Amino acid sequence: MKLTFLGAAGTVTGSRFLVEEGGHRILVDCGLFQGYKQLRLRNWAPLQFDAHQLDAVVLTHAHIDHSGYLPLLCRLGFRGHIYCSHATLELCRILLPDSAHLQEEDARFANAHGFSKHKPALPLYTRKDADECLERFTTVDMHQPVVVAKGLKAEFSRAGHLLGATTVRIASAETSVLFSGDLGRPHDPILHAPEPPLPADYLVIESTYGDRRHPVVDPEQELARWLRRASDRGGVTVIPTFAVGRAQALLLYIDRLKRRGEIADLPVYLDSPMAVDATLLYAQHRDDHKLSEEDCRRMCQAATLVNTPEQSQALDGRREPMIILSASGMASGGRVLHHLKAFVGDPKNLVLLAGFQAPGTRGAAMLRGAPTVRIHGMDFPVRAEVGQLEASSAHADADELLAWAKRGARIPRNTFVIHGEPEASEALRFRFDHELKWPVTVPEYRDTYDLDANALL
Ligand SMILES: [Zn+2]
């Protein structure tokens, strides 16, 4: 068995891992690169394998950095199945068409303003590509091994990171490798804890927070403190949020805080049609989380849902205190950009970032204290307070990653640390090496390992 790291090596985005065995090949995850331009350009580079020759894709979860290349893969000739959990498919039905829409918007904007060297600038993929790729999806139950290519089986188990998120073990007759996907936290208020690792010869583990320990903070109280700061000074709070997962947790916290009288009863707007659709999915996938029917109902009612672009833009004319939740989570696109333009210049206001901000995104720049933020080709001074919610992460921290790995029934022949910025991956590698004494490697982009020989090719 051979394993090639075609993404999420030295960075947190672009998860793509090619597994080859006996003349067959599958891809585990098929994500977009995001963040720095040099990374985003990889989305446009020729594929390192022939899409026609790929037997299947196995998808750990729906986030775009794991799924967002699928429409292009299908357009390039992939004709196999895409295997994933039920909720992952439902979320992809929301996320992939939206991703295509953003690609089309980018191309339109570049053409209108003459940004691109290419005339005309074309989208990476279109809505039609996204719709066509959704027809290739096949859903699989947790712990039901499925043959995904001749001689290769996949088995999913719960990762606790997002609705439907999984870890997946790929096994041939001789060799097995477990991919952590993105791993959640053991005590998430909404999702079930990650299940223990399935036994495998090799482990491929994420390291988003491989160099960090999450603070022991009650996420509701942390959110309450920030919201009170902004409302006390009469400001507007803009929360760029991932439409799926984070937005729902925030809605639940806001509802609980309001009912206990811990924050002012301000109007709350959920300005992301995608987030609205995703919120409704929680009621349909009750096995995938810990929320009661009542919680789901309250989550749906915690905010005024903003549907049309006109309603969205109307919010920007208002100056009274309010809370706007809008995608995208790293302010790299979406409706939140209009709200940032309107509110980032006033020191009364608060931009509250939630979740990991990949380097190169506007979210990361604002957190670093950038004096201006560039949106739609113009620079806007950042005078609003910029804060970050640290407690409500959807990723395990370094201690939690190690604790999870140790629960496995056997020590892997090698552990590959991926899906982290270089410092984070190196910090986690060091801990596997020094604390657990496990063989461990940080693979580089495009490295191929022969897993039968346990050697870099
Ligand atoms: Zn994820």
Side-chain angles (χ1 to χ4, degrees):
M1 188 186 280
K2 284 198 294 185
L3 171 61
T4 304
F5 297 88
L6 295 178
T11 175
V12 292
T13 65
S15 280
R16 294 175 207 168
F17 311 104
L18 185 68
V19 177
E20 296 170 271
E21 163 83 30
H24 293 272
R25 49 195 75 67
I26 65 165
L27 202 58
V28 175
D29 285 342
C30 186
L32 275 190
F33 287 97
Q34 296 166 315
Y36 289 123
K37 184 165 186 185
Q38 90 203 53
L39 288 174
R40 284 182 279 122
L41 284 174
R42 286 187 190 166
N43 295 324
W44 297 86
L47 208 54
Q48 292 97 336
F49 56 88
D50 181 356
H52 296 88
Q53 303 289 316
L54 188 68
D55 293 87
V57 177
V58 176
L59 188 58
T60 62
H61 67 292
H63 279 147
I64 287 298
D65 61 319
H66 293 255
S67 70
Y69 193 82
L70 284 167
L72 187 49
L73 184 77
C74 293
R75 198 178 72 206
L76 293 172
F78 170 64
R79 293 291 174 267
H81 291 288
I82 299 164
Y83 295 94
C84 67
S85 72
H86 301 278
T88 295
L89 168 57
E90 295 306 320
L91 289 174
C92 282
R93 283 191 209 282
I94 299 172
L95 289 169
L96 292 179
D98 179 76
S99 175
H101 174 71
L102 291 177
Q103 302 293 340
E104 290 176 326
E105 287 286 289
D106 280 355
R108 245 195 300 280
F109 194 74
N111 287 325
H113 295 82
F115 277 169
S116 177
K117 291 191 283 281
H118 307 282
K119 301 235 173 345
L122 295 174
L124 189 62
Y125 53 81
T126 63
R127 173 70 196 251
K128 184 166 164 282
D129 298 324
D131 289 344
E132 283 173 6
C133 110
L134 284 165
E135 290 173 17
R136 315 222 136 261
F137 279 63
T138 300
T139 58
V140 183
D141 289 335
M142 301 282 170
H143 300 295
Q144 291 294 323
V146 56
V147 175
V148 292
K150 192 158 180 284
L152 285 174
K153 263 192 226 162
E155 180 175 340
F156 292 104
S157 75
R158 213 185 286 288
H161 162 72
L162 172 76
L163 208 61
T166 61
T167 68
V168 64
R169 179 176 60 188
I170 304 295
S172 68
E174 287 85 35
T175 310
S176 57
V177 49
L178 176 66
F179 295 85
S180 73
D182 285 359
L183 201 69
R185 307 196 60 195
H187 305 291
D188 189 272
I190 296 183
L191 297 168
H192 296 295
E195 293 179 294
L198 295 167
D201 300 319
Y202 292 89
L203 173 62
V204 178
I205 190 167
E206 69 125 321
S207 58
T208 312
Y209 289 107
D211 58 348
R212 255 170 285 177
R213 192 169 285 155
H214 291 316
V216 185
V217 185
D218 177 342
E220 272 176 44
Q221 291 308 315
E222 187 189 27
L223 176 64
R225 276 194 297 278
W226 280 111
L227 294 178
R228 282 195 298 260
R229 279 169 75 91
S231 68
D232 286 353
R233 54 180 191 246
V236 172
T237 299
V238 177
I239 310 183
T241 176
F242 297 92
V244 173
R246 189 60 42 83
Q248 287 73 30
L250 292 172
L251 289 176
L252 195 67
Y253 299 156
I254 288 171
D255 174 72
R256 288 175 179 166
L257 290 167
K258 274 192 180 180
R259 278 189 291 129
R260 292 201 302 265
E262 294 184 34
I263 57 169
D265 190 12
L266 303 179
V268 180
Y269 297 95
L270 179 60
D271 182 17
S272 163
M274 250 197 318
V276 173
D277 292 344
T279 306
L280 298 175
L281 276 184
Y282 280 71
Q284 291 160 21
H285 289 269
R286 292 279 310 283
D287 286 352
D288 281 1
H289 58 73
K290 306 180 196 168
L291 299 180
S292 66
E293 216 174 318
E294 173 70 5
D295 287 331
C296 292
R297 200 178 53 76
R298 286 184 183 282
M299 202 163 71
C300 292
Q301 294 173 351
T304 303
L305 309 180
V306 178
N307 288 309
T308 67
E310 292 72 32
Q311 289 169 336
S312 171
Q313 279 154 21
L315 292 176
D316 296 341
R318 303 176 54 161
R319 286 296 173 266
E320 61 270 35
M322 59 180 165
I323 301 164
I324 302 175
L325 290 89
S326 185
S328 72
M330 298 187 281
S332 46
R335 288 185 181 180
V336 78
L337 295 185
H338 295 282
H339 303 312
L340 287 176
K341 280 177 172 177
F343 297 112
V344 80
D346 185 337
K348 282 210 304 287
N349 297 337
L350 169 66
V351 178
L352 189 53
L353 296 153
F356 189 81
Q357 305 293 314
T361 58
R362 290 187 189 87
M366 285 189 287
L367 261 188
R368 252 199 353 259
T372 60
V373 61
R374 176 160 278 249
I375 302 173
H376 299 149
M378 280 171 64
D379 289 326
F380 293 82
V382 179
R383 298 198 192 94
E385 187 176 23
V386 177
Q388 186 177 35
L389 293 171
E390 307 212 18
S392 56
S393 174
H395 288 268
D397 67 12
D399 290 352
E400 292 162 350
L401 288 165
L402 280 186
W404 177 78
K406 275 201 299 193
R407 290 171 73 198
R410 61 172 122 125
I411 296 173
R413 292 177 71 191
N414 200 354
T415 291
F416 297 102
V417 177
I418 47 109
H419 198 288
E421 293 306 313
E423 319 77 67
S425 295
E426 171 53 24
L428 192 66
R429 186 205 64 77
F430 185 84
R431 293 190 63 182
F432 268 101
D433 185 7
H434 283 73
E435 292 175 32
L436 305 190
K437 315 273 185 230
W438 286 16
V440 58
T441 305
V442 179
E444 294 199 23
Y445 180 52
R446 303 181 78 162
D447 274 358
T448 298
Y449 285 81
D450 178 340
L451 297 187
D452 302 310
N454 194 7
L456 175 66
L457 289 177

